Amino acid sequence: MIQRPIQRGLLLVGTFISLTVFLSCAPRTMRSVVDSRGFLFGVAVRPGDLLDPKDSKLLKDNFNILVAENIMKLQYLRPTATFWNWSDVDNLVRFAEENRMKLRGHTFVWHNQNPPFINNLSDKEAALKVLTETITEVLTRYKGKFYEYDVCNEVIDDNGVLRNSIWMRTIGPEYIDIAFKTARQADPSVKLILNDYNNEYAGTVKGDAFYNLVKGMVDRGVPIDGVGFQLHMLAELPVNKEALQANIKRFRDLGLTVSFTEVDVRIKLPVTPEKEAAQQAVYEDLLRIAREENISCFVLWGYTDAYSWIPGTFAGYGSAHPFDQNKQPKKLYGSLRKILEK
Ligand code: G3I
Protein backbone atom coordinates (compact mmCIF):
# COMPACT_ATOMS: atom_id res chain seq x y z
CA MET A 1 0.00 0.00 0.00
CA ILE A 2 1.28 3.47 -0.89
CA GLN A 3 1.62 5.62 2.27
CA ARG A 4 0.54 9.21 2.18
CA PRO A 5 3.33 11.77 2.87
CA ILE A 6 1.88 12.69 6.29
CA GLN A 7 1.85 9.05 7.41
CA ARG A 8 5.39 8.53 6.20
CA GLY A 9 6.49 11.66 8.06
CA LEU A 10 4.89 10.46 11.31
CA LEU A 11 6.53 7.06 10.91
CA LEU A 12 9.95 8.67 10.45
CA VAL A 13 9.53 10.94 13.49
CA GLY A 14 8.36 7.96 15.57
CA THR A 15 11.36 5.89 14.53
CA PHE A 16 13.74 8.76 15.29
CA ILE A 17 12.24 9.25 18.79
CA SER A 18 12.37 5.51 19.62
CA LEU A 19 15.98 5.32 18.45
CA THR A 20 16.96 8.36 20.53
CA VAL A 21 15.21 6.96 23.62
CA PHE A 22 16.86 3.57 23.04
CA LEU A 23 20.32 5.06 22.64
CA SER A 24 20.02 7.34 25.67
CA CYS A 25 18.86 4.41 27.84
CA ALA A 26 21.57 2.02 26.58
CA PRO A 27 24.35 1.86 29.19
CA ARG A 28 27.50 3.71 28.11
CA THR A 29 30.47 1.47 27.80
CA MET A 30 33.78 2.23 29.52
CA ARG A 31 35.14 2.58 25.97
CA SER A 32 32.76 5.41 25.16
CA VAL A 33 33.64 7.07 28.48
CA VAL A 34 37.41 7.01 27.86
CA ASP A 35 36.97 8.00 24.21
CA SER A 36 34.89 10.99 25.20
CA ARG A 37 37.56 12.05 27.72
CA GLY A 38 40.34 11.65 25.14
CA PHE A 39 42.03 9.28 27.60
CA LEU A 40 44.01 6.25 26.43
CA PHE A 41 43.00 3.33 28.66
CA GLY A 42 44.36 -0.04 27.65
CA VAL A 43 45.37 -3.56 28.47
CA ALA A 44 47.91 -6.28 27.66
CA VAL A 45 46.36 -9.09 25.62
CA ARG A 46 47.06 -12.64 24.52
CA PRO A 47 46.22 -13.90 21.01
CA GLY A 48 43.27 -15.94 22.36
CA ASP A 49 41.60 -12.83 23.79
CA LEU A 50 40.99 -11.56 20.26
CA LEU A 51 39.55 -14.86 19.03
CA ASP A 52 37.14 -15.63 21.86
CA PRO A 53 33.88 -13.72 21.19
CA LYS A 54 33.23 -12.90 24.86
CA ASP A 55 36.81 -11.80 25.57
CA SER A 56 37.05 -9.70 22.43
CA LYS A 57 33.74 -8.00 23.24
CA LEU A 58 35.05 -7.18 26.69
CA LEU A 59 38.13 -5.62 25.11
CA LYS A 60 36.09 -3.60 22.62
CA ASP A 61 33.71 -2.40 25.34
CA ASN A 62 36.43 -1.20 27.67
CA PHE A 63 39.71 -0.26 26.07
CA ASN A 64 41.07 1.99 23.34
CA ILE A 65 44.74 0.90 23.39
CA LEU A 66 46.26 -2.61 23.41
CA VAL A 67 49.69 -4.15 23.89
CA ALA A 68 50.78 -7.74 23.30
CA GLU A 69 51.58 -9.43 26.63
CA ASN A 70 54.12 -11.78 25.01
CA ILE A 71 53.93 -12.27 21.23
CA MET A 72 56.09 -9.29 20.27
CA LYS A 73 58.95 -10.41 22.50
CA LEU A 74 61.78 -11.82 20.43
CA GLN A 75 61.41 -15.36 21.77
CA TYR A 76 58.09 -15.49 19.92
CA LEU A 77 58.50 -12.90 17.16
CA ARG A 78 61.92 -13.99 15.93
CA PRO A 79 62.57 -17.47 17.36
CA THR A 80 65.44 -18.12 14.93
CA ALA A 81 67.64 -15.79 12.92
CA THR A 82 65.65 -16.47 9.76
CA PHE A 83 62.08 -17.13 10.98
CA TRP A 84 59.63 -14.33 11.77
CA ASN A 85 56.36 -15.16 13.47
CA TRP A 86 54.17 -12.40 12.07
CA SER A 87 50.72 -13.93 12.06
CA ASP A 88 49.69 -13.22 15.68
CA VAL A 89 51.00 -9.66 15.43
CA ASP A 90 49.21 -9.12 12.12
CA ASN A 91 45.99 -10.27 13.83
CA LEU A 92 46.55 -7.86 16.69
CA VAL A 93 47.19 -4.97 14.30
CA ARG A 94 44.07 -5.85 12.28
CA PHE A 95 41.92 -6.14 15.43
CA ALA A 96 43.12 -2.75 16.66
CA GLU A 97 42.46 -1.12 13.29
CA GLU A 98 38.99 -2.65 12.96
CA ASN A 99 38.11 -1.36 16.41
CA ARG A 100 39.84 2.03 16.16
CA MET A 101 42.25 1.16 18.97
CA LYS A 102 45.83 2.34 19.37
CA LEU A 103 48.74 -0.04 19.96
CA ARG A 104 51.82 -0.11 22.16
CA GLY A 105 54.76 -2.21 20.99
CA HIS A 106 56.55 -4.36 23.58
CA THR A 107 59.55 -4.88 23.23
CA PHE A 108 62.78 -5.11 21.21
CA VAL A 109 65.58 -5.04 23.75
CA TRP A 110 65.12 -7.04 26.93
CA HIS A 111 67.20 -9.45 29.00
CA ASN A 112 64.29 -11.90 29.18
CA GLN A 113 62.28 -14.00 26.70
CA ASN A 114 64.98 -13.96 24.02
CA PRO A 115 65.44 -16.87 21.61
CA PRO A 116 68.53 -19.12 21.91
CA PHE A 117 70.22 -17.55 18.88
CA ILE A 118 70.20 -14.20 20.71
CA ASN A 119 71.15 -15.62 24.11
CA ASN A 120 74.12 -17.32 22.45
CA LEU A 121 75.49 -14.17 20.80
CA SER A 122 79.09 -13.50 21.76
CA ASP A 123 80.38 -11.20 19.05
CA LYS A 124 79.73 -7.43 18.99
CA GLU A 125 79.27 -7.17 15.21
CA ALA A 126 76.84 -10.07 15.13
CA ALA A 127 74.85 -8.62 18.05
CA LEU A 128 74.65 -5.20 16.41
CA LYS A 129 73.41 -6.82 13.21
CA VAL A 130 70.66 -8.74 15.06
CA LEU A 131 69.63 -5.66 17.05
CA THR A 132 69.38 -3.22 14.16
CA GLU A 133 67.95 -5.78 11.73
CA THR A 134 65.18 -6.75 14.18
CA ILE A 135 64.11 -3.19 14.92
CA THR A 136 64.22 -2.16 11.27
CA GLU A 137 62.31 -5.23 10.09
CA VAL A 138 59.49 -4.83 12.62
CA LEU A 139 59.08 -1.07 12.34
CA THR A 140 59.22 -1.17 8.55
CA ARG A 141 56.49 -3.80 8.41
CA TYR A 142 54.32 -1.92 10.91
CA LYS A 143 55.29 1.63 9.99
CA GLY A 144 52.69 4.07 11.30
CA LYS A 145 50.72 1.32 13.07
CA PHE A 146 52.04 1.77 16.61
CA TYR A 147 51.36 4.72 18.88
CA GLU A 148 54.26 3.94 21.23
CA TYR A 149 57.00 1.32 21.33
CA ASP A 150 59.04 0.08 24.28
CA VAL A 151 62.33 0.15 22.39
CA CYS A 152 64.21 -1.06 25.48
CA ASN A 153 62.78 -2.66 28.60
CA GLU A 154 64.26 -2.98 32.09
CA VAL A 155 67.81 -1.95 31.20
CA ILE A 156 68.60 -0.94 34.80
CA ASP A 157 68.91 -3.59 37.48
CA ASP A 158 67.71 -3.42 41.08
CA ASN A 159 71.00 -1.84 42.22
CA GLY A 160 70.58 1.06 39.82
CA VAL A 161 73.28 0.09 37.32
CA LEU A 162 72.98 -0.98 33.69
CA ARG A 163 71.84 -4.59 33.66
CA ASN A 164 74.30 -7.29 32.67
CA SER A 165 72.21 -8.42 29.69
CA ILE A 166 73.22 -10.13 26.47
CA TRP A 167 73.11 -6.70 24.74
CA MET A 168 75.30 -5.09 27.41
CA ARG A 169 77.83 -7.93 27.31
CA THR A 170 78.12 -8.06 23.53
CA ILE A 171 77.68 -4.44 22.44
CA GLY A 172 78.33 -2.38 25.59
CA PRO A 173 76.25 0.50 27.04
CA GLU A 174 75.83 2.19 23.67
CA TYR A 175 73.31 -0.49 22.63
CA ILE A 176 70.50 1.68 24.07
CA ASP A 177 71.30 4.76 21.97
CA ILE A 178 71.78 2.56 18.90
CA ALA A 179 68.39 0.89 19.42
CA PHE A 180 66.56 4.23 19.68
CA LYS A 181 68.33 5.72 16.66
CA THR A 182 67.55 2.64 14.59
CA ALA A 183 63.88 2.77 15.61
CA ARG A 184 63.57 6.46 14.74
CA GLN A 185 65.07 5.84 11.33
CA ALA A 186 62.68 2.97 10.59
CA ASP A 187 59.50 4.74 11.74
CA PRO A 188 59.65 8.48 12.40
CA SER A 189 56.04 8.54 13.66
CA VAL A 190 56.07 6.04 16.55
CA LYS A 191 56.77 7.41 20.04
CA LEU A 192 59.94 5.78 21.32
CA ILE A 193 59.80 4.74 24.96
CA LEU A 194 62.27 3.48 27.58
CA ASN A 195 60.25 1.25 29.92
CA ASP A 196 61.10 -0.12 33.37
CA TYR A 197 59.75 -1.27 36.74
CA ASN A 198 60.37 0.32 40.16
CA ASN A 199 61.31 3.52 38.30
CA GLU A 200 58.21 5.50 39.26
CA TYR A 201 59.45 7.35 42.35
CA ALA A 202 61.93 10.23 42.42
CA GLY A 203 64.40 9.82 45.26
CA THR A 204 64.85 6.03 45.04
CA VAL A 205 68.04 4.32 43.86
CA LYS A 206 66.43 2.86 40.76
CA GLY A 207 64.13 5.84 40.08
CA ASP A 208 67.08 8.24 40.11
CA ALA A 209 69.35 5.93 38.10
CA PHE A 210 66.61 5.64 35.48
CA TYR A 211 66.19 9.42 35.38
CA ASN A 212 69.95 9.99 35.01
CA LEU A 213 70.15 7.47 32.18
CA VAL A 214 67.27 9.16 30.33
CA LYS A 215 68.64 12.66 30.94
CA GLY A 216 71.96 11.53 29.45
CA MET A 217 70.15 10.25 26.37
CA VAL A 218 68.29 13.54 25.95
CA ASP A 219 71.55 15.49 26.42
CA ARG A 220 73.22 13.36 23.76
CA GLY A 221 70.37 14.01 21.33
CA VAL A 222 69.15 10.40 21.28
CA PRO A 223 65.63 10.26 19.80
CA ILE A 224 63.66 9.24 22.90
CA ASP A 225 60.06 10.51 23.19
CA GLY A 226 58.96 9.22 26.55
CA VAL A 227 59.36 6.93 29.51
CA GLY A 228 57.21 4.06 30.72
CA PHE A 229 56.50 3.32 34.37
CA GLN A 230 55.31 -0.29 34.54
CA LEU A 231 53.68 0.08 37.98
CA HIS A 232 53.33 -3.50 39.17
CA MET A 233 52.11 -2.53 42.62
CA LEU A 234 51.23 -4.16 45.95
CA ALA A 235 47.88 -3.50 47.64
CA GLU A 236 49.65 -3.26 50.99
CA LEU A 237 51.89 -0.36 49.87
CA PRO A 238 50.02 2.93 49.36
CA VAL A 239 51.12 5.09 46.43
CA ASN A 240 53.71 7.73 47.31
CA LYS A 241 51.91 10.43 45.38
CA GLU A 242 54.49 13.18 45.97
CA ALA A 243 57.40 11.03 44.74
CA LEU A 244 55.40 9.88 41.70
CA GLN A 245 54.33 13.39 40.76
CA ALA A 246 57.84 14.78 41.30
CA ASN A 247 59.15 12.09 38.98
CA ILE A 248 56.56 12.79 36.28
CA LYS A 249 57.44 16.49 36.48
CA ARG A 250 61.17 15.96 36.00
CA PHE A 251 60.62 13.83 32.88
CA ARG A 252 58.19 16.45 31.56
CA ASP A 253 60.87 19.07 32.16
CA LEU A 254 63.14 17.07 29.84
CA GLY A 255 60.43 17.38 27.15
CA LEU A 256 59.32 13.73 27.47
CA THR A 257 55.96 12.04 27.91
CA VAL A 258 55.18 9.57 30.70
CA SER A 259 53.12 6.41 30.15
CA PHE A 260 51.75 4.02 32.80
CA THR A 261 52.46 0.83 30.89
CA GLU A 262 51.81 -2.32 32.96
CA VAL A 263 49.52 -1.46 35.83
CA ASP A 264 48.38 -4.17 38.24
CA VAL A 265 47.97 -4.26 42.02
CA ARG A 266 48.43 -7.66 43.62
CA ILE A 267 46.89 -8.77 46.89
CA LYS A 268 48.53 -11.12 49.40
CA LEU A 269 46.06 -14.02 49.58
CA PRO A 270 43.58 -14.64 51.05
CA VAL A 271 41.58 -11.68 49.78
CA THR A 272 39.71 -9.74 52.46
CA PRO A 273 37.47 -6.66 52.13
CA GLU A 274 40.19 -4.59 53.84
CA LYS A 275 42.84 -5.73 51.37
CA GLU A 276 40.48 -5.02 48.44
CA ALA A 277 39.89 -1.53 49.80
CA ALA A 278 43.65 -0.97 49.99
CA GLN A 279 44.03 -2.27 46.43
CA GLN A 280 41.28 0.04 45.22
CA ALA A 281 43.02 3.01 46.83
CA VAL A 282 46.25 2.20 44.96
CA TYR A 283 44.48 1.85 41.59
CA GLU A 284 42.47 5.03 42.23
CA ASP A 285 45.53 7.08 43.17
CA LEU A 286 47.34 5.96 40.01
CA LEU A 287 44.36 6.70 37.79
CA ARG A 288 43.69 10.10 39.39
CA ILE A 289 47.33 11.10 38.94
CA ALA A 290 47.28 9.80 35.36
CA ARG A 291 44.31 12.01 34.57
CA GLU A 292 45.58 15.06 36.44
CA GLU A 293 49.00 14.82 34.83
CA ASN A 294 47.64 14.07 31.37
CA ILE A 295 49.66 10.86 31.11
CA SER A 296 50.27 9.51 27.60
CA CYS A 297 48.34 6.27 28.30
CA PHE A 298 47.23 4.07 31.20
CA VAL A 299 47.64 0.38 30.37
CA LEU A 300 46.68 -2.56 32.61
CA TRP A 301 48.87 -5.66 32.56
CA GLY A 302 45.90 -8.00 32.16
CA TYR A 303 42.20 -7.45 32.75
CA THR A 304 41.12 -10.72 34.39
CA ASP A 305 42.42 -12.89 37.22
CA ALA A 306 41.64 -15.85 34.93
CA TYR A 307 44.76 -15.18 32.81
CA SER A 308 46.94 -13.36 35.30
CA TRP A 309 50.76 -13.60 35.28
CA ILE A 310 50.82 -12.80 39.02
CA PRO A 311 50.24 -16.20 40.75
CA GLY A 312 52.93 -17.86 38.62
CA THR A 313 55.50 -15.24 39.55
CA PHE A 314 54.57 -14.15 43.08
CA ALA A 315 53.51 -17.23 45.05
CA GLY A 316 50.73 -16.40 47.50
CA TYR A 317 49.60 -13.28 45.62
CA GLY A 318 46.67 -12.78 43.26
CA SER A 319 43.40 -10.96 42.51
CA ALA A 320 45.38 -8.18 40.84
CA HIS A 321 43.02 -7.13 38.05
CA PRO A 322 39.63 -5.37 37.69
CA PHE A 323 37.76 -8.45 36.37
CA ASP A 324 37.51 -11.67 38.40
CA GLN A 325 38.16 -15.31 37.43
CA ASN A 326 34.80 -15.38 35.61
CA LYS A 327 35.59 -12.12 33.81
CA GLN A 328 32.95 -10.31 35.82
CA PRO A 329 33.75 -6.73 36.86
CA LYS A 330 34.75 -6.33 40.51
CA LYS A 331 33.76 -3.40 42.74
CA LEU A 332 37.18 -2.02 41.78
CA TYR A 333 36.05 -1.71 38.15
CA GLY A 334 33.15 0.53 39.18
CA SER A 335 35.46 2.77 41.18
CA LEU A 336 37.86 3.18 38.24
CA ARG A 337 34.95 3.99 35.97
CA LYS A 338 33.76 6.72 38.35
CA ILE A 339 37.17 8.39 38.16
CA LEU A 340 37.16 8.17 34.39
CA GLU A 341 33.64 9.62 34.18
CA LYS A 342 34.68 12.79 36.07
O1 G3I B 1 54.81 -20.36 25.77
C1 G3I B 1 54.99 -21.28 26.85
C2 G3I B 1 54.10 -22.48 26.66
O2 G3I B 1 54.51 -23.15 25.49
C3 G3I B 1 54.25 -23.39 27.88
O3 G3I B 1 53.36 -24.44 27.77
C4 G3I B 1 53.92 -22.61 29.15
C5 G3I B 1 54.11 -23.47 30.40
O4 G3I B 1 54.55 -22.72 31.49
O5 G3I B 1 54.78 -21.49 29.23
C6 G3I B 1 54.62 -20.59 28.14
O6 G3I B 1 55.46 -19.50 28.32
C7 G3I B 1 55.14 -18.59 29.37
C8 G3I B 1 54.90 -17.22 28.74
O7 G3I B 1 54.72 -16.25 29.74
C9 G3I B 1 53.69 -17.19 27.81
O8 G3I B 1 52.55 -17.52 28.50
C10 G3I B 1 56.31 -18.52 30.32
O9 G3I B 1 56.42 -19.77 31.01
C11 G3I B 1 56.13 -17.41 31.31
O10 G3I B 1 57.31 -17.25 32.10
C12 G3I B 1 55.87 -16.11 30.57
O11 G3I B 1 55.63 -15.10 31.52
C13 G3I B 1 55.58 -13.77 31.02
C14 G3I B 1 56.68 -12.95 31.68
O12 G3I B 1 56.59 -11.61 31.23
C15 G3I B 1 58.09 -13.46 31.33
O13 G3I B 1 59.02 -12.73 32.06
C16 G3I B 1 54.23 -13.19 31.39
O14 G3I B 1 53.20 -13.89 30.67
C17 G3I B 1 54.19 -11.71 31.06
O15 G3I B 1 53.03 -11.14 31.62
C18 G3I B 1 55.40 -11.00 31.67
O16 G3I B 1 55.36 -9.65 31.27
C19 G3I B 1 56.39 -8.81 31.81
C20 G3I B 1 56.61 -7.68 30.84
O17 G3I B 1 56.88 -8.18 29.56
C21 G3I B 1 57.74 -6.77 31.31
N1 G3I B 1 57.49 -6.29 32.64
C22 G3I B 1 57.20 -7.31 33.63
C23 G3I B 1 56.02 -8.17 33.15
C24 G3I B 1 55.61 -9.13 34.21
O18 G3I B 1 56.66 -10.08 34.46
Side-chain angles (χ1 to χ4, degrees):
M1 194 175 76
I2 300 171
Q3 287 174 333
R4 277 181 294 173
I6 190 148
Q7 281 177 318
R8 271 210 306 271
L10 282 173
L11 196 67
L12 268 176
V13 171
T15 311
F16 177 74
I17 290 172
S18 327
L19 200 65
T20 313
V21 169
F22 171 77
L23 286 176
S24 59
C25 292
R28 286 185 83 192
T29 60
M30 181 78 113
R31 171 72 194 266
S32 68
V33 171
V34 289
D35 278 353
S36 68
R37 302 293 180 271
F39 187 75
L40 289 180
F41 183 60
V43 68
V45 292
R46 310 159 326 136
D49 297 332
L50 314 183
L51 302 174
D52 179 283
K54 279 194 190 147
D55 292 352
S56 68
K57 179 168 175 359
L58 191 152
L59 297 178
K60 293 177 208 173
D61 283 351
N62 284 282
F63 303 107
N64 53 12
I65 181 165
L66 301 178
V67 59
E69 182 175 359
N70 283 300
I71 57 164
M72 296 196 74
K73 297 167 180 174
L74 302 188
Q75 174 189 8
Y76 298 104
L77 186 60
R78 194 180 182 187
T80 73
T82 52
F83 182 76
W84 296 85
N85 211 349
W86 299 118
S87 61
D88 284 336
V89 187
D90 287 349
N91 285 344
L92 176 64
V93 170
R94 194 177 321 116
F95 182 86
E97 279 180 347
E98 281 170 4
N99 295 291
R100 295 169 296 102
M101 293 163 155
K102 292 198 188 302
L103 285 168
R104 301 197 79 256
H106 178 81
T107 177
F108 292 125
V109 179
W110 195 22
H111 60 282
N112 208 347
Q113 288 181 290
N114 283 318
F117 91 95
I118 289 183
N119 286 333
N120 293 335
L121 285 167
S122 56
D123 164 69
K124 181 170 181 170
E125 287 314 306
L128 273 171
K129 181 169 181 286
V130 171
L131 179 76
T132 54
E133 203 177 63
T134 304
I135 294 172
T136 305
E137 191 78 18
V138 175
L139 286 182
T140 303
R141 182 179 181 92
Y142 298 118
K143 196 172 192 162
K145 305 279 188 197
F146 282 81
Y147 167 69
E148 293 186 348
Y149 215 110
D150 294 332
V151 178
C152 300
N153 188 43
E154 303 175 4
V155 299
I156 292 191
D157 72 12
D158 296 337
N159 302 315
V161 295
L162 280 182
R163 190 182 292 278
N164 180 16
S165 68
I166 187 68
W167 305 110
M168 182 73 172
R169 288 194 295 276
T170 50
I171 301 173
E174 67 269 28
Y175 78 87
I176 301 172
D177 292 7
I178 293 169
F180 276 79
K181 287 177 186 165
T182 307
R184 172 59 81 244
Q185 224 176 357
D187 184 352
S189 68
V190 61
K191 276 150 61 81
L192 305 180
I193 307 295
L194 186 70
N195 193 45
D196 215 322
Y197 65 88
N198 287 352
N199 59 341
E200 64 271 17
Y201 294 142
T204 59
V205 171
K206 184 153 176 187
D208 291 348
F210 182 81
Y211 172 78
N212 289 331
L213 170 68
V214 172
K215 184 172 185 316
M217 291 170 71
V218 171
D219 290 346
R220 290 192 295 279
V222 176
I224 177 172
D225 298 301
V227 294
F229 300 166
Q230 294 184 4
L231 296 162
H232 297 292
M233 310 295 269
L234 286 145
E236 67 234 46
L237 285 184
V239 175
N240 182 340
K241 290 179 251 175
E242 293 71 30
L244 177 56
Q245 281 174 307
N247 209 20
I248 292 170
K249 181 178 181 318
R250 63 179 175 173
F251 285 109
R252 285 269 165 73
D253 290 346
L254 290 178
L256 302 179
T257 60
V258 177
S259 304
F260 290 2
T261 55
E262 303 184 15
V263 180
D264 50 41
V265 184
R266 58 189 182 270
I267 290 179
K268 191 167 174 43
L269 302 175
V271 173
T272 64
E274 292 72 27
K275 292 178 192 175
E276 284 190 316
Q279 177 193 48
Q280 187 174 317
V282 172
Y283 264 110
E284 287 181 353
D285 281 344
L286 293 178
L287 193 55
R288 266 195 223 101
I289 289 174
R291 291 212 60 205
E292 280 165 23
E293 303 288 343
N294 205 12
I295 286 303
S296 179
C297 54
F298 186 103
V299 178
L300 306 171
W301 205 250
Y303 55 97
T304 165
D305 295 334
Y307 309 138
S308 178
W309 71 282
I310 298 281
T313 305
F314 299 104
Y317 281 83
S319 196
H321 312 284
F323 292 83
D324 66 17
Q325 289 281 352
N326 300 315
K327 301 170 196 165
Q328 293 304 307
K330 301 176 184 171
K331 182 167 165 267
L332 165 68
Y333 173 88
S335 81
L336 298 182
R337 181 168 167 145
K338 267 195 200 125
I339 293 174
L340 289 165
E341 276 170 346
K342 276 184 197 144

